[in-house]
């Protein structure tokens, strides 16, 4: 049933996570239910969320293939929870240790850089947000002339949740942002047109040698470039949802993905879907799947990298709302005023175990299942409104 | 919202488990989703299931209140996963450390011994299986004369899964069993009549200061005194299910239970319910609740001892079947031939992380959700039939 030399359903099988945040934590909890061991490699000194749930923890540098290979040698397979490690470092760690990494370094190489990512998906026939590599300051002006102001400038690597992104309204802004993002220090900077859209949508896909499964299409509700909530299924026509799911599967195949992948789309007023971002790992847009779907994105992540058959993605109820609970205060992490959220029937609180809270930091999330979207979403917001973290 | 001095939803809050087996492991995984820390105290040297999922692990003796108090001092609250620690040792550990234990030593004292347990529930007006304390060998004969042969002899403490139980068919058997169970070494031995029954049923209750919740009534399918499967809801009249749930709540109140409690019943051909066993902890009969109910017994166990409001117990689908996967071989633990079980839609495999397998040992379980009981149960048995552990 398995494709590795060793049966992954062995009590001494160890799945290693590169990165120790909430995504690895939620995947790791699913690894435990298969009776296996969890290892974690963190680039931070200590006290990361996964380090509280395993005795097998190691620290080192994401830019050292030796550090990674040394950790890899203690594991049977490795996986990722972020995009902070270069694909060539991953490839070297894999070669030095002999421990497979999924998603593979080859897959990762096709999407690790925003420029390469866009080219990869364009070549696969997928529509992406209009963009250009900004080689020098002149290009800043011409991009604005062609696609209109404002537009986005992005560092081609390492950005997430709006960090590494700058909205520029005029040439002066653009010059400042280009400099701030490292354009004069040799960083690739890309410009992206502001797309007129009615909804931001997301879809997750799990894929391995046994096949693939695709999750329902959800809407991501954004404030200040940060996802604050999800609605599943997305309140758009079923044909649009289906199209987004098809593109997501096609995109996963285009990078020969093994693991769990997330894709974010803009839906334009004309009904066109533009691929905006991809992530080779479980993603905030799939947090609703823990209770909302028969098999969560985290469980299918684990199944995929273990080479096991993938689980069904059907929704458990007609409407699933998810609220991101961001830090409200700078303090030792604790959740106050969660009573209403815990009392709501079919409401589910997930706390990530970060020791320190600060405003805007992703600390927890809350999922509410219901029979109708707008009332479910409204209730989810209401019962979480008083929460302080 | 919380009733302890410290907010239990704090990242440094630590829930300690006395016992490191699969029940503590499955509860511990739920503790992690609330962002807290898990500690474990084991009476075995190493490599117990929970010890693989926390850096906070300690070993010692269940009969030493000092060992327990030393562990308790590292935790904010303690809970149990078995009945192997005397209530007076628990009380002393609680007093020495100042760390609360739930269920409380007082609750535990009312049910730790089979004789006391039966008296406690009888006094609460609950029908129990006919029994008698066997003071000497003469009593063996008179019990058989009154209640008929065969009957059961049980050591009043420490038995589970049929260990510590002996079926006796005649006086000679009874004498041998009395001796084997320690009747001549001062152990309390009780006789229990064989009850004519149509079904064995079970119900779980979670209870704390915020209220209580009661789970659906399930049927436990037994072979050789070991639970091999569950059917939920139990295939008996709704009025019988409701009655079992009422008794379970009443029994929990009778012992002022704070935590998660499980109750097993015999249903007689006349439709009478006799309480057979109780457990002050998550129980095998509630494993189906992980996917089968909105909130699992393990999550409500954690919520109850943390002083949080309890979660809804509604069934997710009309029929839930659970199969215990017992060890088939003496070997390093691994699961072979699980493909069909993993491929079944809404089928859920849970492996406990024990390193060694042996025939009959509880190693894993499998839950299948469906729309109709008999077909769901049949399919669950079919897709797990080939599994070797």
């Amino acid at each position: 049933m398995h494709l590795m030399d060793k049966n992954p359903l062995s009590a001494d099988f160890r799945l290693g996570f590169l990165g120790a945040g909430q995504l690895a934590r939620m995947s790791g909890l699913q690894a435990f239910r298969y009776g296996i061991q969890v290892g974690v490699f963190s680039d931070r000194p200590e006290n990361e969320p996964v380090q509280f749930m395993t005795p097998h923890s190691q620290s080192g540098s994401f830019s050292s293939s030796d550090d990674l290979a040394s950790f890899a040698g203690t594991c049977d397979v490795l996986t990722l929870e972020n995009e902070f490690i270069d694909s060539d470092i991953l490839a070297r760690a894999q070669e030095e240790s002999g421990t497979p990494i999924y998603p593979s370094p080859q897959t990762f190489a096709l999407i690790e850089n925003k420029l390469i990512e866009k080219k990869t998906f364009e070549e696969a026939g997928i529509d992406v947000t209009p963009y250009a590599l900004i080689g020098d300051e002149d290009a800043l002006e011409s991009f604005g002339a062609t696609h209109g102001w404002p537009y986005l400038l992005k560092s081609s690597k390492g950005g997430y949740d709006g960090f590494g992104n700058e909205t520029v309204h005029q040439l002066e802004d653009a010059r400042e942002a280009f400099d701030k993002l490292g354009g004069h220090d040799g960083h690739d900077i890309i410009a992206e047109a502001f797309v007129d859209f009615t909804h931001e949508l997301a879809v997750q896909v799990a894929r391995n040698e046994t096949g693939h499964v695709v999750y329902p299409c959800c809407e991501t509700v954004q404030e200040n470039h940060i996802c604050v909530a999800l609605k599943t299924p997305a309140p758009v026509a079923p044909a649009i949802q289906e199209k987004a799911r098809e593109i997501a599967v096609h995109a996963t195949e285009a990078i020969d993905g093994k693991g769990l992948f997330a894709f974010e789309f803009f839906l334009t007023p004309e009904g066109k879907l533009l691929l905006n971002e991809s992530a080779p790992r479980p993603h905030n847009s799939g947090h609703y799947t823990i209770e909302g779907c028969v098999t969560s994105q985290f469980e299918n992540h684990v199944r995929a990298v273990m080479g096991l058959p993938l689980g069904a993605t059907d929704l458990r109820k007609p409407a699933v709302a998810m609220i991101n609970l961001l830090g409200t205060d700078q303090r030792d992490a604790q959740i106050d005023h969660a009573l209403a959220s815990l009392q709501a029937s079919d409401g589910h609180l997930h706390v990530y175990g970060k020791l320190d809270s600060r405003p805007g930091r992703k600390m927890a999330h809350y999922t509410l299942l219901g029979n109708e979207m707008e009332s479910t979403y409204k209730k989810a917001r209401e019962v979480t409104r008083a929460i302080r973290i």
Side-chain angles (χ1 to χ4, degrees), chain A:
Chain A
M1 66 178 285
H2 46 87
L3 300 148
M4 280 174 260
D5 292 340
K6 181 172 174 176
N7 179 349
L9 289 174
S10 302
D12 65 344
F13 187 91
R14 193 179 299 176
L15 169 57
F17 289 90
L18 299 175
Q22 68 264 26
L23 300 174
R25 182 170 167 120
M26 288 185 273
S27 289
L29 292 178
Q30 294 304 315
F32 282 134
R33 55 102 27 110
Y34 284 101
I36 66 168
Q37 312 273 330
V38 167
V40 60
F41 181 92
S42 175
D43 67 332
R44 296 171 194 184
E46 56 179 2
N47 290 336
E48 289 299 296
V50 183
Q51 295 173 311
F52 299 122
M53 51 169 249
T54 176
H56 308 305
S57 176
Q58 203 167 313
S59 293
S61 166
F62 280 165
S63 53
S64 160
S65 63
D66 286 346
D67 285 4
L68 296 176
S70 141
F71 172 68
T74 69
C75 298
D76 295 289
V77 62
L78 292 191
T79 189
L80 304 154
E81 72 139 17
N82 58 50
E83 293 94 73
F84 301 153
I85 308 177
D86 288 340
S87 60
D88 58 340
I89 304 257
L90 290 175
R92 243 182 294 148
Q94 180 172 263
E95 196 182 319
E96 282 175 36
S97 65
T99 302
I101 302 177
Y102 301 115
S104 72
Q106 292 76 14
T107 291
F108 203 60
L110 294 173
I111 52 170
E112 65 183 327
N113 172 308
K114 286 202 174 70
L115 191 64
I116 298 172
E117 177 188 3
K118 282 180 183 288
K119 284 184 181 163
T120 298
F121 293 127
E122 273 188 316
E123 280 166 20
I126 295 168
D127 293 326
V128 302
T129 320
Y131 72 98
L133 177 65
I134 301 295
D136 55 38
E137 296 202 10
D138 289 347
L140 293 169
E141 190 162 12
S142 62
F143 191 86
T146 309
H147 296 282
W149 300 87
Y151 63 82
L152 276 171
L153 281 181
K154 296 183 172 181
S155 171
S156 68
K157 205 163 179 195
Y160 67 99
D161 282 351
F163 298 102
N165 289 3
E166 296 282 336
T167 301
V168 298
H169 294 267
Q170 50 186 315
L171 189 55
E172 197 178 339
D173 287 2
R175 284 189 174 133
E176 268 178 40
F178 183 79
D179 185 53
K180 185 176 167 190
L181 293 170
H184 293 116
D185 306 325
H187 289 206
D188 278 349
I189 305 297
I190 65 169
E192 259 185 36
F194 252 66
V195 172
D196 193 18
F197 61 85
T198 61
H199 297 82
E200 292 187 70
L201 306 177
V203 173
Q204 299 79 38
V205 177
R207 182 175 180 270
N208 69 6
E209 305 86 334
T210 72
H212 73 262
V213 291
V214 53
Y215 282 88
C217 175
C218 66
E219 180 185 15
T220 67
V221 182
Q222 314 265 340
E223 287 172 11
N224 301 318
H225 303 289
I226 292 180
C227 173
V228 295
L230 300 175
K231 297 177 182 180
T232 315
V236 300
I240 298 286
Q241 297 178 36
E242 228 19 72
K243 182 72 185 160
R245 299 174 79 214
E246 278 167 25
I247 298 172
V249 170
H250 182 48
T252 307
E253 286 166 347
I255 56 176
D256 193 19
K258 173 167 172 168
L260 190 291
F261 299 82
F263 302 91
E264 293 181 282
F265 301 92
F266 292 124
L267 176 62
T268 71
E270 300 77 36
K272 196 172 170 185
L273 287 162
L274 298 177
L275 180 58
N276 178 36
E277 302 257 4
S278 71
R281 53 167 172 82
H283 189 263
N284 196 170
S285 61
H287 287 5
Y288 79 91
T289 63
I290 298 178
E291 291 85 14
C293 295
V294 167
T295 313
S296 75
Q297 67 165 349
F298 300 105
E299 182 179 348
N300 268 331
H301 177 209
V302 170
R303 285 195 188 207
V305 301
M306 287 171 78
L308 298 175
L310 303 168
T313 58
D314 314 61
L315 279 179
R316 283 266 182 234
K317 279 200 179 174
V320 184
M322 192 284 300
I323 310 295
N324 271 337
L325 300 173
L326 307 177
T328 54
D329 296 87
Q330 181 100 28
R331 63 174 187 177
D332 292 343
Q334 59 174 295
I335 316 277
D336 289 322
H337 310 300
L339 189 59
S341 70
L342 289 166
Q343 284 173 329
S345 186
D346 229 338
H348 304 275
L349 179 66
H350 293 264
V351 188
Y352 303 149
K354 297 175 184 179
L355 289 190
D356 305 309
S357 183
R358 55 174 186 268
R361 190 177 194 202
K362 286 180 176 169
M363 300 299 291
H365 75 262
Y366 180 72
T367 302
L368 185 68
L369 277 61
N371 292 315
E372 190 277 325
M373 178 51 69
E374 280 315 302
S375 57
T376 302
Y377 181 69
K378 195 175 157 212
K379 186 174 178 189
R381 296 215 75 141
E382 268 169 20
V383 298
T384 53
R385 186 155 296 136
I387 289 177
R388 305 239 11 126
I389 306 180

